[in-house]
Amino acid sequence: MKMITAIKTPIKAFTLLLLTTLSSLYTFAQEAPTKVDVDINADGGGSVWYGQPWVWAVGVAIFILVLVIVTRGNKSTDA
């Protein structure tokens, strides 16, 4: 088996082991997430314009139309 060139010496191997151990300890030492209560109907039940499905359908249709126009390219021949 070939040894990875970055871990040829024992000092580099020890340093790599130490850094990986410290990084895992750092990630486990983070605070536990707290419970967040989110009320999605905070505005009294009113809806916003971007919550309507027809707005998204029109937006996607316009995006596809612009994408087709831009990617179609110039069909003239340069000689």
Side-chain angles (χ1 to χ4, degrees), residues 38-60:
V38 177
D39 185 13
I40 61 171
N41 294 321
D43 63 349
S47 61
V48 290
W49 64 271
Y50 51 83
Q52 302 295 327
W54 66 269
V55 173
W56 288 99
V58 170
V60 168

Side-chain angles (χ1 to χ4, degrees), residues 5 12 14 16 40 44 50 52 57 64 79:
T5 59
K12 287 183 181 178
F14 178 72
L16 183 64
I40 61 171
Y50 51 83
Q52 302 295 327
I64 291 173

Side-chain angles (χ1 to χ4, degrees), residues 22-72:
L22 290 176
S23 66
S24 68
L25 287 175
Y26 178 73
T27 57
F28 285 123
Q30 300 297 314
E31 288 186 24
T34 58
K35 175 98 169 105
V36 177
D37 187 22
V38 177
D39 185 13
I40 61 171
N41 294 321
D43 63 349
S47 61
V48 290
W49 64 271
Y50 51 83
Q52 302 295 327
W54 66 269
V55 173
W56 288 99
V58 170
V60 168
I62 291 172
F63 176 74
I64 291 173
L65 182 65
V66 168
L67 189 66
V68 167
I69 290 171
V70 168
T71 59
R72 185 166 39 161

